[in-house]
Amino acid sequence: MRAVLISILCLGLAGPVAAEGFNNITDRARFVSLIKDRDLTRFGISLNVTPEGQIKGRAFGRDVTGAWKWNGDYFCRDLYWGSTNLGPNCQAVRLQGNKLRFISDQGSGRYADLYLK
């Protein structure tokens, strides 16, 4: 279970990138307009990503904490799941309806979809 959760939080569970029907989010202002006063959720995970650059929430019974910044076209974050350091990663962000897709390794890695609530 721990390995599965770490994969989800590191954005490595969902598979290779597929972007059909998604719009690119390439600037901080647009990203903040989407996440402000909302949570990002998926089964077992609820995160609050604040406009001020904090990440906080819960995932499968453990606290999630971290920080983020926007760098160029990418959402860059450092993340902890409990005391486990998941490390830094810069990710491409895509939007489809109320679904945000975060694609690891500057858009060349694997992805995870989180829903805006």
Side-chain angles (χ1 to χ4, degrees):
M1 178 63 156
R2 181 173 185 243
V4 170
L5 176 63
I6 289 172
S7 293
I8 290 170
L9 291 173
C10 289
L11 304 177
L13 178 68
V17 174
E20 299 83 22
F22 284 82
N23 296 311
N24 296 332
I25 306 299
T26 57
D27 68 69
R28 184 184 190 287
R30 175 72 174 125
F31 179 75
V32 167
S33 75
L34 293 167
I35 55 106
K36 186 175 177 163
D37 299 323
R38 300 176 87 179
D39 289 326
L40 297 173
T41 65
R42 98 183 247 159
F43 177 77
I45 299 171
S46 181
L47 303 173
N48 183 260
V49 178
T50 71
E52 297 78 28
Q54 294 182 333
I55 302 170
K56 53 191 171 185
R58 303 264 309 155
F60 298 98
R62 291 192 188 176
D63 289 334
V64 175
T65 59
W68 73 274
K69 64 182 178 178
W70 201 266
N71 187 5
D73 292 341
Y74 303 104
F75 169 84
C76 298
R77 60 94 178 125
D78 286 296
L79 203 59
Y80 285 84
W81 175 56
S83 62
T84 304
N85 183 352
L86 301 178
N89 194 274
C90 287
Q91 303 162 1
V93 181
R94 311 279 188 265
L95 174 68
Q96 181 184 62
N98 70 337
K99 182 185 338 180
L100 280 178
R101 176 166 288 175
F102 292 84
I103 309 166
S104 67
D105 305 324
Q106 295 183 334
S108 67
R110 299 168 77 81
Y111 72 87
D113 292 337
L114 296 166
Y115 296 87
L116 293 161
K117 298 285 182 187

